[in-house]
Structure formats: C-alpha cells, structure tokens
Amino acid sequence: MQMATVQSLAQQYEETIHNYMAAIERSLNPARATDEEMVRKAVFLVRHDGVQIQSFNEERLLLEAIVKDAHSVKVVMNFEKLTAVCACPQEDLCRHRLAVIFALYQKIGSLSQWVADWRAQEQEQLSTIGKKRSPQQWRKVIQSVWRDPIPDYTTRNYFYYEQMYEGRLKNALSFVPLEREWKTLFRAYAHFISLSEVWGTYISGTNDVHHSFFKTWFEDELHDLRDLLDQLHGQHRTFESDAFFDYLRDMVRDFASIKDGSSSQRFTVYQLFWTNLFTNDRLRKQELAAFPRPDERITAFFAILLKDPLELKKITPNEANDWIQLAILAEEEQNQQALEVILLAVKPHVKTFLFEGLYTQYRHQYVRTLSRLFSLIHLSERDWEDLFRQFGHYGLPAYSTYLIEKGFFKQWAELHHMHNSPLYFAEECGLKEVHEAAPDYALPLYHRYAMAHLDDRSRASYKQAVRIWKKMKSACKKSDQMEFWKSYIKEIRTQNKRLRALQEEIEKGNLV
C-alpha cells in the first residue's frame, strides 16, 4: 500500500486509531520493565521502516501488515472489533501489534509526544507512590495489572490459567518497593489482591474438567501466602506500617464476608491470616466484634484461638469440611472442649461428607484424620461402631485397630471375611496381632488365602500357599490344635495328590 494511501486511510479511521492508542495506554504501564521495553522496541521498528501495510478490506474492515523483526510476522487488525492478531507466539499485546498501531498513529499525530506523555503521566503517579506511600496506592497499582478482563478460555483450560496468573502476578511484583522493610508486606498484598482478582475464574475452574489442577494451584498459592505471612509475623514492625496492616485486615475481612457459594474456600484464606499473621488476642477480639453478624464458623474459629467455651448445636452437611478443619485447629491449639463439641456435631454427617463431598483420592486420608481426632474424645462403643459404619470400606484399617485394641478378635476376623480383604491388607490391618492374641480366629483366613494360591496352578503360587500354611501351622501350635493341623494338611495332600510340584513344596516346607 502506498504512503499516500496509508495517510488517507489513517485520516479516514482517525477515531479508531485513537481508540487503539487509548486501549494501549490503559493496558501498559511504563513503570513495568516488560511494558516499557515492549513500547521501546515497537517504536524502534516503526522508526526503522519495519512496518509495511499490505492491504485493507473496506467491507470487512480488516487491515493486514507485515512487521520485519528478527523474522517477518503478519499482523491482522479488525477495525470494527478493535482487535489485533499477530502470528508471533505471544498471547496478548506484543511489539508487532504495537508497531502497526504506532505506524498508523504516526500519520495523524506525534508518536514521540505520545510516548513522552505516557511515560511522564505514569512516572508522576509512581513518584507520588514513592513519596506518599499508602495502602490504597498499593492496592491501586496491583489492581492495575488486573485491569484487562480475564479471558473465558482460562476457566476451561488450566494451563492457560496458570500462565495468565503467573504473568500478571509477576507484573504486580515488579512494583515491589526498593526498601527492604517494605518488600515482604508488598508481596503479601500482591499475592492476596491477585488471588481476590482471579477468584471467580478459579472457582469456575474447580467445577470444570481440570478441577484437581485448580485445587492443587490453590493449595500452592496458600503455601506461598503462608510463607509470606510467617516472614511478616517475625519481622520488626515500624509505626509507619501500622496503617498497611490495618488495611490488609479490612481487605481480608471484606473478602471473607462475600456470600457467593465459595465461602468455604474464602474461610480457608481468612483463617490463614488470623493463625499466621494476626496472633494478638486483643486484635482477635476486636476482629470478631467487627463482624455485624458473624458466621458460626467465624465465631467458633475465634473461640478456639481465644480458648473461649464453644457452644454448637447442629451443622449442615455441606459445612462438614470446614468444621473438620476447625477440629484440627482445636487439636493444635489444645482446646479439648471445642474439639469435643465440634466432633459431636460433625459425627452425623461423616458418611455424607466422605462419599458426597470428597473426591475418591482424598477419602483414605480423611478417614485416618477423623479416626485420630475422634480417638482424642470420649465415645461409647456404639458411637465408634456407628462411625466405622459411616466410614464404609475406607474405615477398615481404623476399625481393625479399634477392634484389636478392644480385644474383639472374632469381630475382626468376621470383618475381613466379609470384605474379602487380601492378605497384604489383612496384615496391614493387624493380622499379626490377631495371630498372636487369638490364633483360632486367624485360621479360616489363612485357609482362604492358601486356597486362592492353589487355584493358580503354578510352582510359584504353591510356594506362596506353603508360606501361608506355615503361618497356619504356627497358629495351630499356639492354640494347641496340632491334631487338627495334621488332619488338615493330610486332607490337602489327599485332595491334590496329582499335583506333584505342590507335594514337593509341602515336603520342602516341613509342613507334614
């Protein structure tokens, strides 16, 4: 396209080009090194004739250009939708898109003046931030990184989501103050505000195909935030920073107060701040009073921390996870009264929580946690049996331990018969202890395991059967049943007299 034609095109679509420039001004920040470098490189490309406008389709309002960089790349601009697409791998704005917009702008205005104004305006704001540091300005500068809408596809694709989040968080952290004493506090602000800004997308992601990735991402974020809060807690605090901590407290409370179907995850973030950073009892009492109508979980949380007595009648099944976390906290804080009250309220909902509220891979872990917690309070035998029934087959190890501790060896054997427990699992659940204490009850299980190996009809499986029969012989010796053992092994040999390999292994094993 000739120079005169590009000039007339720029004049004809002057308003569109100004809109493009306004969008650039909103998206880019000269105090951010990556943005400043991108503008500098785009200006360099324009000034060294690196932009060639190829064609313009008036019907579809599409402009095509070639930008000669290290490699030539094609840029297509849609004047109607105010979008620009580039062939380079960069997602959002890139120096090639900028260069094409700048080349067009140069025909209707001064690019040098625009760049100077852009730099001066933001520098002025940043110098103000430097001179008059305030929590509101910190919040504003971090939120500026999140000005652009989060693309919809990030909810459906975790990998794009992670890339987007890391990129924007990195941009937010590029504003970290130079003074050492402010760095950790600013980083905590950047992590918390970024988490708040991306919250809706994260929650949508947990309901999508990549739910486990989003859950892991959230746990990693909490881990990073916990590290920062621990550092802050141990750091010497200046009088000047008090306002920043007060503002952070208010932001965290506002965040936790939002009712949007994700209160459980919000509560997790809230607890992090009040267990790791704000540990002063006076502050905690003030915080509880700051809620006009605190949720029961918030009340219980502060009761645990302040060692106040806790009253709790009923909870709803969908809140069970939060209450279990509070029970763990009560154990850590050695608040026995709160632990007992919470666990008795949780107990009727254990089955619903395990089988409707959890993904399969977390059930074993939670059954172990619940068994440990409930063992710390007084429960009747009937209560324990009810609890183990609710655990289903995930509770077998815990139930087995309980039965052995109580000396209920017959019930232990019946339990493992009923569930067809394989040998390795029965051993994990205490078969050795039953063998020692009540060998009679171990005999039918040993018989079943040995016969299962016999069915495989191979020398290796016969060796396994002999290994189990040795345990059976030892159990018979302990329970003074050697006559039974002799007739038992004789019967096995008679029934399988044609299996020469088996007969040889029985003789080698000294079972006769």
Side-chain angles (χ1 to χ4, degrees):
M1 196 180 270
Q2 292 178 353
M3 186 66 72
T5 324
V6 175
Q7 182 82 45
S8 56
L9 176 72
Q11 286 166 347
Q12 187 183 346
Y13 290 97
E14 185 172 344
E15 192 182 341
T16 304
I17 294 164
H18 278 299
N19 288 338
Y20 270 116
M21 294 298 283
I24 290 168
E25 203 170 327
R26 280 196 307 274
S27 304
L28 299 181
N29 195 324
R32 206 153 52 218
T34 47
D35 290 1
E36 210 285 328
E37 184 186 16
M38 196 194 302
V39 169
R40 197 163 27 83
K41 287 185 175 176
V43 170
F44 178 86
L45 288 167
V46 172
R47 291 193 176 138
H48 289 80
D49 296 322
V51 180
Q52 288 180 352
I53 309 295
Q54 300 275 291
S55 65
F56 181 70
N57 183 322
E58 288 199 34
E59 214 172 287
R60 297 171 64 202
L61 296 180
L62 292 180
L63 178 139
E64 288 189 7
I66 296 291
V67 179
K68 289 184 281 184
D69 200 354
H71 302 285
S72 290
V73 289
K74 185 179 178 180
V75 175
V76 178
M77 293 173 65
N78 186 323
F79 278 15
E80 185 183 10
K81 294 181 180 174
L82 274 185
T83 56
V85 180
C86 179
C88 81
Q90 199 165 319
E91 280 281 321
D92 305 313
L93 267 177
C94 63
R95 60 179 180 268
H96 311 117
R97 294 175 178 91
L98 281 187
V100 177
I101 296 165
F102 286 172
L104 291 169
Y105 179 75
Q106 212 172 224
K107 305 296 176 196
I108 55 167
S110 164
L111 182 59
S112 302
Q113 189 59 50
W114 182 89
V115 172
D117 291 346
W118 175 69
R119 282 179 179 146
Q121 181 189 351
E122 200 74 28
Q123 290 294 359
E124 193 181 315
Q125 280 183 14
L126 288 169
S127 67
T128 310
I129 286 173
K131 287 173 197 163
K132 293 175 71 179
R133 184 184 282 118
S134 79
Q136 292 84 352
Q137 283 165 323
W138 274 14
R139 186 178 189 172
K140 188 178 171 187
V141 80
I142 293 162
Q143 283 179 332
S144 74
V145 168
W146 292 93
R147 263 186 312 215
D148 291 342
I150 296 167
D152 284 346
Y153 59 77
T154 56
T155 303
R156 296 183 299 276
N157 192 316
Y158 166 74
F159 304 102
Y160 285 129
Y161 171 84
E162 189 182 37
Q163 197 178 22
M164 176 275 302
Y165 184 80
E166 290 303 319
R168 294 195 187 186
L169 178 63
K170 190 177 173 186
N171 283 340
L173 291 170
S174 69
F175 293 109
V176 72
L178 296 171
E179 302 92 334
R180 193 172 152 206
E181 66 270 23
W182 290 101
K183 285 182 187 294
T184 309
L185 185 52
F186 183 87
R187 287 191 185 109
Y189 263 67
H191 273 266
F192 173 68
I193 292 168
S194 295
L195 184 60
S196 310
E197 291 289 329
V198 82
W199 192 259
T201 310
Y202 150 65
I203 292 296
S204 301
T206 58
N207 300 322
D208 215 271
V209 65
H210 290 285
H211 59 78
S212 59
F213 289 111
F214 281 95
K215 184 175 167 45
T216 305
W217 169 84
F218 182 55
E219 284 165 1
D220 289 345
E221 263 309 291
L222 290 182
H223 186 267
D224 291 346
L225 197 50
R226 185 182 289 108
D227 279 353
L228 288 165
L229 298 182
D230 285 343
Q231 287 173 46
L232 273 180
H233 185 252
Q235 199 172 292
H236 174 68
R237 198 180 289 189
T238 62
F239 173 73
E240 196 190 348
S241 69
D242 284 352
F244 289 81
F245 283 97
D246 292 347
Y247 193 77
L248 183 58
R249 273 207 320 273
D250 292 344
M251 281 197 296
V252 171
R253 187 188 316 120
D254 292 343
F255 172 80
S257 302
I258 294 168
K259 304 275 185 270
D260 63 352
S262 66
S263 60
S264 184
Q265 292 98 325
R266 287 179 183 276
F267 182 46
T268 303
V269 176
Y270 182 80
Q271 287 180 83
L272 196 62
F273 280 85
W274 284 95
T275 49
N276 293 67
L277 179 59
F278 306 123
T279 56
N280 175 295
D281 279 0
R282 184 182 54 80
L283 265 186
R284 286 169 170 175
K285 284 174 185 168
Q286 283 176 7
E287 176 67 11
L288 181 58
F291 283 92
R293 283 188 304 279
D295 181 290
E296 247 187 326
R297 287 166 288 187
I298 298 278
T299 308
F301 172 61
F302 283 109
I304 292 166
L305 294 178
L306 294 164
K307 306 284 190 290
D308 289 342
L310 175 62
E311 284 182 32
L312 184 63
K313 292 181 180 73
K314 276 186 174 182
I315 65 165
T316 61
N318 62 334
E319 291 174 354
N321 183 48
D322 294 341
W323 288 104
I324 291 165
Q325 300 311 317
L326 285 169
I328 293 168
L329 179 68
E331 182 202 6
E332 287 167 1
E333 295 288 323
Q334 298 179 327
N335 189 330
Q336 186 65 23
Q337 188 266 344
L339 179 65
E340 190 146 343
V341 166
I342 292 168
L343 288 177
L344 292 176
V346 164
K347 190 173 154 292
H349 307 300
V350 166
K351 186 178 179 181
T352 310
F353 165 70
L354 288 173
F355 294 95
E356 292 175 30
L358 280 181
Y359 291 116
T360 315
Q361 64 263 41
Y362 301 112
R363 287 178 192 155
H364 273 299
Q365 171 199 327
Y366 268 96
V367 163
R368 281 198 299 273
T369 301
L370 287 166
S371 301
R372 180 175 54 75
L373 291 171
F374 276 102
S375 71
L376 299 172
I377 67 168
H378 175 72
L379 282 186
S380 68
E381 283 180 16
R382 183 177 287 180
D383 283 335
W384 272 115
E385 282 165 19
D386 169 57
L387 194 60
F388 289 124
R389 262 199 303 276
Q390 292 194 68
F391 287 166
H393 64 278
Y394 292 99
L396 283 178
Y399 196 13
S400 299
T401 304
Y402 168 77
L403 291 171
I404 288 168
E405 282 172 0
K406 293 285 180 184
F408 298 156
F409 302 112
K410 183 171 184 285
Q411 289 95 317
W412 184 95
E414 286 168 353
L415 184 73
H416 287 279
H417 268 299
M418 186 172 73
H419 286 278
N420 282 323
S421 300
L423 176 61
Y424 79 88
F425 187 65
E427 285 177 336
E428 281 176 18
C429 291
L431 178 57
K432 191 177 175 185
E433 287 90 331
V434 176
H435 178 110
E436 291 298 321
D440 278 17
Y441 296 122
L443 294 176
L445 279 169
Y446 286 138
H447 169 69
R448 200 184 86 206
Y449 296 137
M451 297 314 285
H453 283 299
L454 232 60
D455 292 342
D456 286 351
R457 294 286 191 267
S458 71
R459 188 173 284 272
S461 64
Y462 299 151
K463 283 182 177 175
Q464 290 299 326
V466 166
R467 188 174 72 85
I468 293 162
W469 278 324
K470 280 182 178 177
K471 293 177 189 285
M472 194 172 173
K473 184 180 178 182
S474 156
C476 285
K477 203 169 184 179
K478 270 186 175 299
S479 57
D480 202 18
Q481 294 192 65
M482 284 310 285
E483 287 307 312
F484 163 76
W485 167 253
K486 286 172 189 171
S487 60
Y488 170 81
I489 201 69
K490 186 181 176 185
E491 182 65 24
I492 292 290
R493 293 194 76 177
T494 306
Q495 284 180 5
N496 299 284
K497 59 187 173 192
R498 295 187 183 184
L499 302 178
R500 199 174 67 200
L502 173 65
Q503 300 289 344
E504 287 171 7
E505 292 302 327
I506 287 174
E507 282 165 23
K508 269 194 227 169
N510 295 321
L511 293 177
V512 184

